[in-house]
C-alpha cells in the first residue's frame, strides 16, 4: 500500500512511499490524518523499507538484480502482512529488517508464506534475528497448512556474530530441521538469485522444488576461495556450482531460468500444480485438447523396437496443450519427469526416453524418477508411467556407480506410492524396467499396453544368445546359423506377444493407440477417490 505522512492541520500528504508488506490498502486521498505517534512510526517504517546502505543498492544495479521488495511485489498479487520489520532496529549500523523479509500474501488467490533475503544489508547475510524470522514463518506455514516460498540471495552467516545463532537450539540448524519436518506437509519452493555457500546452500536443496536464475546464482558447500585454501585446487563459481552445472551433473535444480521475470512466472506455474498442503488435492484447471492429435499416437512409435524416438512427442499427443512442465530436464535425460494435466487434472509423468541411451535406466535416472514419484505421492498427484526401456544398464562402471543400491529406489518409490497409478507399456518393457515402471505387480491401478509393446525378462536377441549360444556356435555355416537364430527369435517373440499377455490378463487392457489419452483420462477420473493403505510401520529404509 502507500505509506503516507499527513499534516495534522491541513490534511496534506507530506510524504508517501509504496510499501510492499502492508495489508492496509488505502489511497493517499482517503487516509485519515496521522497522529504524532503514527507520524513517528511511519517515518521509521519509511526508513526501514529503503533497505541497506546505498552501496548495497549500487551493487544490485551493477549485477542487474531487483531490490528484494521489488522482487516480492513482483511475485505476489497482494501482501497480507509482514513480520519483524523492526528486527535489529536498535543496531548501531544499518541492519534494516536484519536482511530478512518475512510475511504472507496472495498468489492467484492462494495464501502463501515467504522469506526473502535483502542483499543490500550486509550482502544478505543471516544472523540470529533473521533466522528467527525465517523459523517463525516456517512454523506458521506448518500450522496454517500453506506453501512457503524462499527467495534466496545471501552470502551466508555472519561469522563475526556466530555465537548468537550458529549452534543455538532455536536458531542455527532449526531452519533446516523445520524444512525436514515440513517436507511432504506443505510445498516448499526455493528461488536462487545469487551465489550461496555453506548454510545458505542447504536451504535450496532442502526445499521441494528449486529454481535457479542463470548467470547470477550458484550454490556449493564452500566458496572457490575456501576450496582453494583447504584443497589447494583453483576453481570458479561456474565450475563449482553454477545453475548449468547443477542442472546437468547433480540434479539439484529443477528448473533453470534466464531472468527474474521468468523465475516469478515459474513459481506461479509450479504452484498451479500443487495443493496447499498434503491434506488437499492439487487445483484442477480447465481442460484443453493436446497440442498434437491424440488419434495419431501410433505414428510416433516406430515399428522397429530398437529405433529411437523422442518421448516428448508422445507426451504432446496425450496431455492438455501446454501443460507439461518438465523437471530436471538436463539431468539423466534418459528418464523424463514432469507435471502435466489430463482434462485439467494434475498428473505426474514418468517416461523412459528412447532417444537417449535407448531409455535404459541408470543410477542417476533411477534416483531422479524416485525423487519425483516421492514428491508426487506426498502431494496427492496421480502418476502416469510411460514404459519403453531395455531395462537397467549393466557393466562394471555402472556397478561401481551403485546401480543396485540406487536402482532399488525407483522400485521402492513406485511400491510405496498410494496415489492413483496408471502404467502404459508403449514398446519395450524388458527386465526390471517392468518393475520400476509400475508393472502389474506394484499395486498399479491400471496396466495398459499398446500393440507395439513387448514385456519380457529380456529382448529376443539377448534371450536367444543367453539360451542357445552354444547350439548356435555348433552350426558352421553362417547362413544356416543366421537362419536358425532368426527362427528362434521369432519363436521367442510369439511367446512374449502382447496379445498372449492380454489373453492371460497380465495387462488390464490392450488398447488402440488412438484411444490412449481417453483411457488415461477416464481412469484417473474414476480412481481419484480410491483409498489405499500400506501395512503399519514407522517408515521404510530403502531411500537411504
Amino acid at each position: 500500500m502507500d505509506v503516507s505522512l499527513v499534516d495534522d492541520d491541513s490534511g496534506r500528504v507530506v510524504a508517501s512511499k509504496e510499501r510492499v508488506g502492508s495489508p492496509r490498502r488505502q489511497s493517499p486521498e482517503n487516509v485519515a490524518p496521522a497522529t504524532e505517534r503514527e507520524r513517528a512510526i511511519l517515518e521509521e517504517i519509511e526508513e526501514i523499507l529503503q533497505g541497506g546502505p546505498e552501496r548495497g543498492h549500487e551493487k544490485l544495479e551493477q549485477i542487474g538484480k531487483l531490490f528484494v521488495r521489488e522482487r516480492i511485489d513482483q511475485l505476489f498479487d497482494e501482501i497480507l502482512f509482514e513480520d519483524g520489520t523492526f528486527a535489529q532496529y536498535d543496531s548501531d549500523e544499518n541492519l534494516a529488517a536484519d536482511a530478512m523479509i518475512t510475511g504472507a500474501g496472495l498468489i492467484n488467490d492462494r495464501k502463501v508464506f515467504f522469506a526473502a533475503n535483502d542483499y543490500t544489508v550486509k550482502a544478505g547475510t543471516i544472523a540470529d534475528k533473521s533466522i528467527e524470522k525465517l523459523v517463525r514463518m516456517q512454523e506458521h506455514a506448518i500450522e496454517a497448512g500453506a506453501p512457503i516460498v524462499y527467495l534466496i540471495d545471501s552470502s551466508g552467516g555472519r561469522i563475526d556474530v556466530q555465537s548468537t545463532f550458529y549452534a543455538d537450539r532455536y536458531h542455527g540448524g532449526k531452519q533446516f530441521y523445520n524444512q525436514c519436518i515440513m517436507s511432504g506437509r506443505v510445498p516448499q519452493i526455493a528461488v536462487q538469485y545469487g551465489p550461496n555457500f555453506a548454510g545458505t546452500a542447504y536451504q535450496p536443496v532442502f526445499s521441494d522444488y528449486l529454481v535457479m536464475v542463470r548467470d547470477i546464482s550458484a550454490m556449493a558447500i564452500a566458496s572457490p576461495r575456501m576450496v582453494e585454501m583447504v584443497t589447494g585446487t583453483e576453481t570458479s563459481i561456474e565450475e563449482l556450482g553454477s545453475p548449468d552445472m547443477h542442472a546437468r551433473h547433480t540434479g539439484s535444480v529443477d528448473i533453470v531460468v534466464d531472468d527474474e521475470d521468468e523465475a516469478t512466472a515459474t513459481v506461479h506455474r509450479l504452484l498451479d500444480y500443487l495443493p496447499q498442503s498434503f491434506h488437499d488435492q492439487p487445483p484442477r484447471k480447465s481442460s484443453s485438447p493436446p497440442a498434437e492429435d491424440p488419434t495419431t499416437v501410433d505414428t510416433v512409435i516406430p515399428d522397429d523396437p530398437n529405433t529411437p524416438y523422442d518421448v516428448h512427442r508422445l507426451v504432446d499427443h496425450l496431455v492438455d496443450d501446454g501443460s507439461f512442465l518438465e523437471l530436471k530436464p538436463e539431468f539423466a535425460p534418459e528418464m523424463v519427469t514432469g507435471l502435466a494435466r489430463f482434462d485439467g487434472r494434475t498428473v505426474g509423468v514418468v517416461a523412459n526416453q528412447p532417444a537417449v541411451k535407448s531409455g535404459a535406466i541408470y543410477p542417476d535416472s533411477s534416483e531422479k524418477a524416485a525423487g519425483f514419484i516421492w514428491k508426487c505421492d506426498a502431494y496427492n498427484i496421480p502418476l502416469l508411467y510411460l514404459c519403453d526401456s531395455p531395462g537397467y544398464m549393466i557393466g562394471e562402471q555402472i556397478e561401481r556407480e551403485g546401480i543396485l543400491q540406487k536402482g532399488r529406489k525407483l522400485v521402492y518409490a513406485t511400491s510405496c506410492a498410494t496415489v492413483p497409478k496408471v502404467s502404459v507399456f508403449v514398446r519395450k518393457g524388458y527386465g526390471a524396467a517392468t518393475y520400476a515402471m509400475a508393472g502389474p505387480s506394484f499395486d498399479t491401478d491400471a496396466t495398459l499396453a499398446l500393440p507395439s509393446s513387448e514385456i519380457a525378462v529380456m529382448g529376443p536377441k539377448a534371450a536367444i544368445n543367453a539360451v542357445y549360444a552354444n547350439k548356435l556356435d555348433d552350426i558352421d555355416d553362417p547362413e544356416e546359423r543366421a537362419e536358425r537364430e532368426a527362427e528362434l527369435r521369432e519363436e521367442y517373440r510369439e511367446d512374449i506377444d502382447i496379445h498372449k499377455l492380454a489373453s492371460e490378463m497380465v495387462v488390464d487392457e490392450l488398447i488402440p493407440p488412438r484411444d490412449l489419452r481417453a483411457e488415461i483420462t477416464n481412469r484417473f477420473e474414476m480412481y481419484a477417490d480410491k483409498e489405499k493403505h500400506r501395512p503399519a510401520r514407522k517408515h521404510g529404509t530403502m531411500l537411504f
Side-chain angles (χ1 to χ4, degrees), residues 257-403:
V257 298
D258 290 327
D259 53 42
E260 295 204 32
D261 289 344
E262 191 179 353
T264 296
T266 300
V267 172
H268 287 184
R269 193 175 179 197
L270 265 172
L271 282 170
D272 273 348
Y273 291 98
L274 301 173
Q276 283 295 93
S277 77
F278 79 106
H279 288 299
D280 307 306
Q281 294 297 318
R284 190 162 183 176
K285 302 294 182 177
S286 57
S287 178
S288 61
E292 301 293 337
D293 183 356
T295 66
T296 62
V297 161
D298 202 38
T299 64
V300 177
I301 307 164
D303 292 332
D304 183 348
N306 296 316
T307 299
Y309 67 95
D310 187 354
V311 77
H312 291 98
R313 291 187 59 211
L314 177 59
V315 172
D316 286 342
H317 282 73
L318 299 177
V319 306
D320 292 4
D321 186 14
S323 71
F324 188 59
L325 178 61
E326 187 169 359
L327 302 175
K328 305 184 191 299
E330 295 183 81
F331 180 69
E334 65 274 11
M335 183 74 77
V336 173
T337 56
L339 300 170
R341 292 192 181 89
F342 282 81
D343 193 27
R345 183 189 305 279
T346 299
V347 172
V349 178
V350 184
N352 304 118
Q353 173 56 294
V356 180
K357 301 177 182 177
S358 299
I361 301 173
Y362 283 71
D364 281 347
S365 48
S366 177
E367 289 197 315
K368 170 183 174 177
F372 176 77
I373 293 163
W374 207 242
K375 289 175 190 175
C376 285
D377 189 52
Y379 294 119
N380 304 316
I381 298 172
L383 289 161
L384 171 66
Y385 296 75
L386 299 175
C387 181
D388 190 346
S389 173
Y392 280 83
M393 190 57 187
I394 60 175
E396 182 179 324
Q397 181 58 35
I398 294 298
E399 294 295 343
R400 289 179 178 179
E401 291 174 6
I403 187 63

Side-chain angles (χ1 to χ4, degrees), residues 454-456 495-507:
E454 295 178 337
I455 303 174
D495 189 55
I496 65 171
D497 182 74
I498 195 62
H499 292 82
K500 180 179 180 180
L501 297 183
S503 175
E504 295 174 355
M505 294 191 65
V506 172
V507 297

